[in-house]
Amino acid sequence: MTVFNDRTSALSLLLTRRSAKARDLAGPGPSEAELRQILTVAARVPDHGKLAPWRFVIIPQEQRDAFGESLVASLKAEKPEASEVEVEAQRQFARQAPTMIAVLSRVKQDIPIPAWEQELSAGAACQNMLLAAHALGYHANWLTTWPAYSEKVVALLGGEPGDRIAGFIFIGTGTRPDEERPRPNLDAITTLWSPRG
C-alpha cells in the first residue's frame, strides 16, 4: 500500500490515480478518522458563493443489505417489469467495497450563481474523494448507474426535492493488480487559442 505523505509526491499522486472496479474492492477500508479526512478533502473544492452545494451520505457496511433491499424496492416501484438480473444487480451494487458514500448535488435556485457551477462543484467533491483515498493508499471507484438517476433513491438517501446524485464513491483495498487504461492524446484534446477572422 503506497501512502503519499509529502509535498514532493503530490504530482506523483495525481499522475498515478486511477479507478479500481468497485466489485474488486475488499477490506480494509478507511478507518473512521481516515474517512473524516477524505470527506474534509472533498469539502475543500471550488465553491462559488460558499454554498456547499453537496451532501455526503455514508452507507455503513452493517446497513448495506438493508440499503440493497431498499434499492430493489425503488427499482420495482419505478420499473415493475424489472428482471431478476436487474434486481440482483441492485443488491450487488449495495454490497461493494468496505466504504460507500453517496454524493448529493444540492443546487440552490434563485441566486446569481449558475446551477452549472454548483453541479461542477459536486463533481469536484467526488474527484477530491478519489484523490484523498488514493493519497491514503486505498483504491476507489466513482459510479452512477440506475440508482444515481432515481428520484426514489434520492429520497431514500434523505435528499430534498431537486437534489440529484452526483455518484456513489466506493473505497477499499484492491484485490487485483492495478491496470492502466488508455489516456487521451493531449495533442488531440488541446488547442492554442488565437483570434479568428
Side-chain angles (χ1 to χ4, degrees), residues 112-127:
I113 295 154
W116 176 234
E117 291 187 24
Q118 299 179 56
E119 291 165 346
L120 288 171
S121 184
C126 292
Q127 175 67 5

Side-chain angles (χ1 to χ4, degrees), residues 44-172:
R44 291 185 63 85
V45 294
D47 175 13
H48 187 183
K50 303 179 187 68
L51 302 174
W54 13 257
R55 295 292 180 272
F56 310 136
V57 182
I58 301 164
I59 298 99
Q61 261 196 312
E62 63 272 17
Q63 300 299 332
R64 297 295 189 80
D65 287 343
F67 184 64
E69 292 310 314
S70 295
L71 290 180
V72 166
S74 298
L75 176 65
K76 287 182 175 179
E78 289 184 12
K79 188 179 178 185
E81 74 282 8
S83 70
E84 190 51 42
V85 170
E86 291 173 292
V87 166
E88 187 56 30
Q90 299 315 311
R91 293 188 179 108
Q92 293 303 319
F93 183 84
R95 293 183 187 133
Q96 299 177 110
T99 300
M100 180 182 191
I101 307 158
V103 179
L104 295 176
S105 171
R106 179 165 293 172
V107 171
K108 296 182 179 169
Q109 305 291 345
D110 302 320
I111 60 172
I113 295 154
W116 176 234
E117 291 187 24
Q118 299 179 56
E119 291 165 346
L120 288 171
S121 184
C126 292
Q127 175 67 5
N128 265 19
M129 277 193 209
L130 300 180
L131 289 171
H134 183 45
L136 290 169
Y138 297 103
H139 292 80
N141 197 193
W142 173 2
L143 293 178
T144 51
T145 72
W146 170 79
Y149 300 99
S150 166
E151 291 182 8
K152 290 187 178 301
V153 178
V154 170
L156 177 65
L157 292 168
E160 297 178 357
D163 285 358
R164 297 172 69 186
I165 298 170
F168 293 87
I169 308 296
F170 294 89
I171 306 171

